[in-house]
Amino acid sequence: MFTHRNDPESNQGVGGCFTDREGGLTLGSMGSLNLGRDDVDPLAGDNRALLRDRIAVERIVTLRQVHSNRVVIVDAASLTNLDDPEADSMVTRMSDVGLAIRVADCVPVLLADQQAGVLGAAHAGRAGMQSGVVGNTVDRMRELGADRIIAWVGPHICGGCYEVPEQMAADVARTHPGAASRTRWHTPSVDLAAGVAADLQDAGATATWLNPCTFEVAALHSHRRDGAGAGRLAGVIWRVSPRG
Ligand SMILES: [Zn+2]
């Protein structure tokens, strides 16, 4: 079920994980652990429940991701809204709520100030990265009291595989010079990791990279590889309430 997992007990109360394709209920190309949209896969909700039980949170919060730079604050009021908000990032001070970003090649970025108890989770694809979703997330976290922010960056397509038209690579280079790259077969590409790394550094966040390439690793969902039939993996961050 997990490509990587940080248990809260060994991380000052903050847990984080990235999922793979194993351990779910969905059949076919999206299987088995598809954590994508409920209107695409009727079993996605059941898969989410399996994940929720494994990481022992009361609730997993998801977004209607649209490749924007919009950040929403998850609090008691927002949890009463049953529809996923249209956004690509969320931040919270709540405990026992898992913030889940769903991807298949885009970059899932999990963030925390463990001392302050402030969490963030962002979906950084090419468009979101270019419009500043990572920096916006860190800004909102600081407004909630975060100071020393660490990040875990999960599985995504690598610069060696993410081929794009020449014009698109040039456009990316305008906002993220280090992210214009070349594929292994020497055509223009985007290195999302390089762009996100620059954004995290600019925002003063310390990053840990957990990034097998989704396109190359069959155990991970990849939209580039599997097309419309691709499932979604999730990056989830949560915090346990202090004891006593
Ligand atoms: Zn790759």
Side-chain angles (χ1 to χ4, degrees), residues 156-162 184 213-216:
H156 55 271
I157 192 167
C158 79
C161 293
Y162 185 21
R184 284 180 277 111
C213 173
T214 44
F215 186 82
E216 294 175 62

